[in-house]
Amino acid sequence: MKEEASGSRSSQVLVTRSSMPPFEEYSEMIRKLWESHWLTNMGELHQQLEHALKAYLGTPELTLFINGHMALESVLRALKLSGEVITTPFSFASTTHAIVQNGLTPVFADIRPEDYTIDPEKIEVLITEKTSAILPVHVYGNICKVKEIQAIADRHGLKVIYDAAHAFGEWLNGESVASFGDASMFSFHATKVFHTIEGGAVAYQDHTLEHALNGLKNFGIMDEETVELVGGNGKMNEFQAAMGLCNLRHIKEEIAKREKLYRRYQENLSGHPGIRLCSEQPGLIRSYSYMPVAFDGSYKTRDQVAAELQAQHIHPRKYFYPCINAYQCYRDRFSPEATPVAQKISMEILTLPLYADLSLEAVDRICRIILQP
Ligand SMILES: *Cc1c(COP(=O)(O)O)cnc(C)c1O
């Protein structure tokens, strides 16, 4: 995509583009599979990746899955939750679907206008005797109010599971994002900062969860003659693990490139009335997974900006729009009016293109279109 760097009008700029390791690195890594014929079921590369990710994420325990969604569904199951789970409507479909697929009831708390994470002040009033857990999301890599959330959970004896799909490898004041709550889910989907094509993991502190997580991802089969749990099939295969091991070698450069682009967007767009960027979080080491920008309509509306960019073959995303509590499949049960901040942000938010090999020129061009009256 050389044309893209030069800003040719005919080229397309998508919101994201999967990063690829050098082809030879990947082919070298998978060559062994032609010798071993061991393609899935916790093979050697799977073990290596689990080990490497524990080190990278700074977590004592980590279990890989075929994708982030199965990881989330499985950890909710492994924690033996019941009744209601308090969560945010401002996320990807997976977060709430994982609750519902477990036969649990999602209860939506509104979000903070500063960083779009769940508002701790809106949580406590929603707690009933049926509540068993809180499932917040570190949306766009903005870390939730983890201390306040944990204090509420401790007061009421609730589990906390973070959807950390946007926060791979982040650290807040010297603490790994993987260390918050009872467990955190990471997604390694092709569009994420770190990917295994499709993939995901649960990071956690309590070693005893490992048994259930390993069982749940393999039909509950514990050994040749023991099927202990009603599980599904959530195993990561060796080709995915190989992609992960290769991508992990380059993750630092990947994030550094994204940071440059993110800062350029900030320089170009900050201080303009009607254009709002996420507030900085002191002490946070980011992985720059997304570039969200909110347009409140006083300058241009979100839909106007999206249309202007699209006319120039640039494809941002209205991510997250609609809110989960406005989905067709949940229409009979929930209403977005119950979470007015999330509803408003979902109308204002646009995520701009951000991926490692996007050029600074492309960022400047995108910003020129946005800033052009
Ligand atoms: C990507 C994502 C997921 C789901 O992960 P998959 O690996 O695609 O299954 C869940 N929650 C959020 C917030 C995500 O962005």
Side-chain angles (χ1 to χ4, degrees):
M1 292 273 278
K2 281 274 153 46
E3 308 91 303
E4 188 181 287
S6 68
S8 153
R9 302 178 112 227
S10 62
S11 65
Q12 304 274 321
V13 181
L14 302 180
V15 70
T16 187
R17 189 159 177 243
S18 298
S19 47
M20 304 293 275
F23 179 72
E24 292 69 28
E25 278 186 29
Y26 187 66
S27 58
E28 192 52 43
M29 186 81 72
I30 61 172
R31 187 184 301 280
K32 294 177 207 143
L33 302 175
W34 266 257
E35 289 151 23
S36 69
H37 292 241
W38 189 314
L39 305 184
T40 185
N41 286 59
M42 288 63 87
E44 200 180 317
L45 299 178
H46 182 285
Q47 286 173 39
Q48 280 178 29
L49 182 62
E50 243 172 31
H51 190 74
L53 284 173
K54 279 181 194 173
Y56 184 81
L57 292 171
T59 179
E61 305 292 338
L62 179 132
T63 302
L64 290 172
F65 280 84
I66 182 87
N67 56 51
H69 182 77
M70 285 307 296
L72 187 57
E73 258 193 52
S74 301
V75 70
L76 298 183
R77 182 86 70 88
L79 287 167
K80 300 194 171 75
L81 303 182
S82 63
E84 298 170 358
V85 177
I86 297 174
T87 189
T88 166
F90 193 70
S91 183
F92 184 55
S94 170
T95 314
T96 296
H97 287 351
I99 296 170
V100 176
Q101 293 279 44
N102 269 285
L104 303 164
T105 303
V107 175
F108 295 106
D110 211 348
I111 58 172
R112 290 159 37 82
E114 299 85 0
D115 57 20
Y116 317 137
T117 62
I118 197 165
D119 187 343
E121 290 178 12
K122 309 276 174 61
I123 292 176
E124 216 151 13
V125 294
L126 298 172
I127 295 174
T128 71
E129 69 279 1
K130 293 191 197 136
T131 310
S132 63
I134 308 172
L135 173 37
V137 181
H138 300 304
V139 62
Y140 309 127
N142 294 333
I143 301 299
C144 297
K145 289 278 170 200
V146 289
K147 288 217 169 67
E148 288 85 341
I149 292 169
Q150 195 59 52
I152 295 167
D154 291 345
R155 269 202 296 282
H156 297 272
L158 308 176
K159 301 281 189 208
V160 182
I161 306 94
Y162 284 101
D163 179 334
H166 293 183
F168 179 80
E170 295 197 341
W171 293 74
L172 183 64
N173 298 318
E175 285 185 282
S176 161
V177 67
S179 67
F180 302 131
D182 294 278
S184 296
M185 177 277 277
F186 294 93
S187 163
F188 310 145
H189 182 257
T191 55
K192 305 297 205 264
V193 172
F194 166 77
H195 79 86
T196 61
I197 311 169
E198 291 267 6
V202 180
Y204 47 102
Q205 331 303 325
D206 175 6
H207 177 70
T208 60
L209 265 181
E210 184 185 40
H211 182 76
L213 289 172
N214 279 334
L216 288 168
K217 73 178 181 188
N218 191 27
F219 308 101
I221 299 171
M222 295 310 188
D223 63 47
E224 275 178 37
E225 297 181 5
T226 317
V227 182
E228 191 184 304
L229 299 162
V230 183
N233 184 355
K235 303 186 298 296
M236 176 180 281
N237 69 51
E238 291 290 275
F239 288 81
Q240 290 171 286
M243 183 60 92
L245 286 166
C246 291
N247 281 336
L248 203 53
R249 290 179 185 158
H250 303 281
I251 188 71
K252 294 236 162 80
E253 305 149 51
E254 168 81 22
I255 292 171
K257 286 181 184 166
R258 284 169 170 269
E259 177 172 8
K260 257 198 194 134
L261 299 160
Y262 186 97
R263 299 230 173 272
R264 185 72 152 238
Y265 271 123
Q266 276 187 320
E267 277 167 36
N268 289 344
L269 297 177
S270 63
H272 289 273
I275 302 178
R276 211 168 64 249
L277 306 173
C278 283
S279 56
E280 291 276 335
Q281 293 191 315
L284 176 61
I285 300 175
R286 286 188 170 276
S287 59
Y288 304 99
S289 49
Y290 295 90
M291 184 63 225
V293 183
F295 300 89
D296 63 15
S298 62
Y299 164 62
K300 288 178 182 175
T301 65
R302 182 270 311 275
D303 290 352
Q304 205 177 336
V305 175
E308 287 174 4
L309 290 170
Q310 252 141 21
Q312 303 291 325
H313 310 286
I314 294 158
H315 302 280
R317 272 196 66 192
K318 298 175 189 177
Y319 191 71
F320 300 101
Y321 172 80
C323 285
I324 297 175
N325 50 7
Y327 285 3
Q328 193 180 334
C329 59
Y330 293 131
R331 199 171 279 164
D332 300 339
R333 300 175 63 185
F334 308 106
S335 151
E337 278 96 56
T339 53
V341 180
Q343 186 183 32
K344 178 168 179 289
I345 301 297
S346 78
M347 314 288 274
E348 296 181 352
I349 203 79
L350 196 63
T351 55
L352 301 176
L354 183 63
Y355 47 88
D357 57 1
L358 185 69
S359 65
L360 287 170
E361 290 74 21
V363 170
D364 289 343
R365 187 159 64 97
I366 290 164
C367 295
R368 273 200 304 277
I369 296 167
I370 293 171
L371 296 174
Q372 182 179 290

